[in-house]
């Protein structure tokens, strides 16, 4: 059997950063140095190729064009490679992993996002384990087929479904959580694969790479004291097409007249509004409390247990695909890539 061929896609992030000793700040460095820093990569049972963003970025600078670039790199190398590892800063990795899950429709090969909390050259770095295990996961095959056939995120001994993750910690090596979906693989002495949670492509369709994302979207987080001016200034933003409304608990919002009225008017003008809980885990259950019944009556889209990261990117993807007004709510409420229940 021939060795799997893996493509590393280096976008930037701490994993490939060095310290500027004059300023003390971390800055991105040349990708070639990343490989020389991990001679262990030579020992893996796979062929590794790499490609780098021309100008590696801190992931705070990530935007929709970068997502399309990553998707295009996967598309261009889809026939020649068996798996992909995307090296990415952890700050916005959950957004990118979710976006890529939508852009890569009918994916049959692993696309694993990873990064690190400490630079690769640091004595106590978490980068080596994250990178080496991500490559091993991307190379995992059973009966000639990839074990993972979706976009995943590997960090600190766990592979998660990419569009289910959130960055929860800026300090701990365990920087990500996936509170509404179990890990797909756990790395201990062996790699434990939870086959029952892995996504399997149905049908015979081949990879279709979407390249249109519409970023006329916003996130509005409720808080006690939230006032009418703020609501108006957000929903009346020129060109705004869709809004993630981060509500309390199981999808609850104040029952005040001005809020319901303001939302009703915005919906009438054509704005899509999705109800997503600001809790890290659990689900929106519209109608469970009086405080969400009114949102339900307004026909606001039910985000169920989707993360904010997966919701905002799903909006960009659906708007980019010019989904019709009639079906938009139904399609949003349907799991497209395992991002919601
Ligand atoms: N600021 C960095 C980034 O997201 C942090 C990291 O790499 O984890 O690019």
């Amino acid at each position: 059997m021939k060795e799997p061929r893996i493509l590393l896609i280096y976008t930037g992030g701490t994993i490939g950063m060095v310290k500027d000793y004059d300023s003390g700040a971390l800055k991105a460095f040349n990708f070639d140095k990343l490989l020389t820093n991990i001679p262990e990569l030579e020992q893996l049972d796979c062929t590794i190729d790499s490609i780098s963003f021309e100008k590696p970025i801190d992931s705070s600078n990530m935007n929709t064009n970068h997502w399309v670039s990553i998707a295009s790199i996967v598309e261009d190398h889809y026939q020649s490679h068996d798996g992909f590892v995307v090296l990415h800063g952890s700050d916005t990795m959950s957004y990118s992993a979710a976006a890529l899950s939508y852009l890569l429709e009918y994916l049959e090969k692993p696309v694993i996002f990873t990064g690190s909390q400490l630079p690769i050259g640091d004595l106590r770095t978490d980068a080596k384990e994250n990178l080496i295990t991500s490559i091993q996961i991307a190379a995992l095959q059973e009966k000639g087929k990839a074990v993972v056939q979706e976009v995943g995120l590997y960090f600190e001994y766990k592979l998660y479904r990419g569009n289910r993750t959130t960055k929860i910690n800026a300090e701990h090596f365990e920087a990500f959580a996936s509170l509404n979906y179990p890990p797909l693989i756990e790395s201990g002495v062996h790699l434990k694969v939870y086959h029952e949670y892995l996504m399997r492509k149905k049908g015979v369709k081949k990879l279709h790479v979407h390249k249109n994302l519409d970023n006329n979207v916003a996130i509005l987080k409720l808080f006690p004291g939230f006032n009418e001016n703020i609501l108006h200034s957000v929903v009346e933003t020129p060109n705004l097409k869709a809004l993630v409304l981060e509500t309390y608990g199981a999808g609850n919002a104040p029952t005040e007249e001005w809020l319901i009225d303001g939302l009703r008017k915005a919906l009438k003008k054509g704005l899509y509004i999705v109800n997503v809980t600001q809790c890290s885990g659990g689900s929106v259950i519209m109608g469970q409390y009086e405080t969400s019944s009114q949102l339900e009556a307004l026909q606001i889209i039910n985000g169920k247990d989707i993360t904010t990261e997966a919701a905002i990117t799903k909006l960009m993807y659906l708007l980019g695909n010019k989904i019709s007004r009639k079906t938009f709510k139904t399609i949003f409420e349907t799991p497209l890539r395992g991002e919601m229940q």
Side-chain angles (χ1 to χ4, degrees):
M1 226 179 67
K2 109 177 164 4
E3 274 193 346
R5 191 170 193 135
I6 306 303
L7 183 68
L8 297 187
I9 304 170
Y10 179 56
T11 69
T14 300
I15 191 159
M17 285 183 178
V18 279
K19 207 171 220 154
D20 179 327
Y21 285 102
D22 293 332
S23 67
L26 289 171
K27 57 173 200 200
F29 79 176
N30 187 332
F31 183 62
D32 297 344
K33 293 202 182 145
L34 184 70
L35 293 176
T36 50
N37 269 297
I38 320 183
E40 294 91 329
L41 292 178
E42 306 276 354
Q43 293 172 34
L44 294 171
D45 290 334
C46 55
T47 310
I48 301 170
D49 298 314
S50 62
I51 193 164
S52 171
F53 270 15
E54 210 169 307
K55 200 170 163 286
I57 54 167
D58 185 295
S59 77
S60 302
N61 285 320
M62 199 46 74
N63 62 36
T64 53
N65 292 333
H66 294 122
W67 292 338
V68 174
S69 299
I70 300 170
S72 302
I73 293 173
V74 172
E75 181 178 37
D76 293 346
H77 298 83
Y78 199 66
Q79 297 311 325
S80 54
H81 289 79
D82 301 293
F84 303 85
V85 174
V86 183
L87 301 172
H88 191 292
S90 61
D91 289 350
T92 62
M93 196 189 292
S94 293
Y95 292 91
S96 297
L100 265 291
S101 77
Y102 302 124
L103 295 182
L104 302 173
E105 191 171 12
Y106 308 119
L107 185 66
E108 256 178 313
K109 296 184 178 183
V111 175
I112 312 298
F113 278 77
T114 196
S116 65
Q117 293 282 53
L118 284 176
I120 200 111
D122 195 289
L123 211 52
R124 296 175 51 251
T125 189
D126 52 332
K128 285 193 184 186
E129 199 285 321
N130 285 347
L131 176 58
I132 289 169
T133 309
S134 293
I135 295 172
Q136 284 184 318
I137 289 172
L140 270 189
Q141 305 227 337
E142 265 172 25
K143 297 189 189 126
K145 288 219 167 250
V147 170
V148 177
Q149 304 185 356
E150 58 185 288
V151 176
L153 185 155
Y154 183 81
F155 226 88
E156 195 61 7
Y157 304 113
K158 289 194 183 92
L159 177 76
Y160 301 109
R161 175 162 297 157
N163 56 30
R164 290 290 197 154
T165 60
T166 303
K167 183 169 181 184
I168 48 144
N169 204 302
E171 163 74 19
H172 293 168
F173 286 145
E174 196 167 346
F176 289 88
S178 166
L179 290 169
N180 286 337
Y181 201 77
L184 308 175
I185 296 182
E186 277 185 277
S187 164
V189 174
H190 302 287
L191 282 182
K192 173 109 191 65
V193 181
Y194 299 104
H195 285 95
E196 63 277 33
Y197 299 128
L198 291 169
M199 182 124 66
R200 282 291 163 268
K201 184 177 80 99
K202 295 184 195 92
V204 292
K205 293 217 172 116
K206 297 279 173 232
L207 177 75
H208 179 77
V209 180
H210 296 266
K211 294 188 179 162
N212 295 318
L213 291 162
D214 187 333
N215 64 358
N216 287 298
V217 295
I219 299 171
L220 180 56
K221 182 172 183 159
L222 293 183
F223 56 90
F226 171 81
N227 72 48
E228 204 169 344
N229 289 339
I230 297 169
L231 176 72
H232 288 303
S233 67
V234 174
V235 297
E236 281 154 29
T237 304
N239 294 329
L240 186 71
K241 295 182 187 154
L243 179 71
V244 170
L245 185 65
E246 274 202 3
T247 55
Y248 306 126
N252 306 315
T255 49
E256 290 184 68
E257 197 50 42
W258 60 263
L259 177 62
I260 303 304
D261 220 49
L263 293 176
R264 184 183 298 113
K265 284 191 184 127
L267 289 162
K268 221 166 167 193
K269 279 199 195 149
L271 187 72
Y272 296 114
I273 303 178
V274 185
N275 185 358
V276 173
T277 173
Q278 45 185 259
C279 294
S280 321
S283 183
V284 163
I285 308 172
M286 301 247 264
Q288 188 184 26
Y289 291 89
E290 192 199 350
T291 42
S292 67
S293 303
Q294 286 166 296
L295 302 182
E296 191 179 30
L298 288 178
Q299 285 284 301
I300 282 182
I301 299 169
N302 186 346
K304 303 179 192 173
D305 64 345
I306 200 168
T307 60
T308 295
E309 292 88 334
I312 194 81
T313 47
K314 190 171 184 176
L315 285 175
M316 293 185 200
Y317 166 70
L318 295 182
L319 291 170
N321 269 282
K322 309 241 176 307
I323 300 296
S324 78
R325 191 154 285 286
K326 249 171 70 190
T327 52
F328 197 96
K329 179 175 188 307
T330 312
I331 295 182
F332 193 98
E333 291 176 353
T334 306
L336 301 179
R337 311 280 190 271
E339 73 283 3
M340 56 168 34
Q341 67 199 358

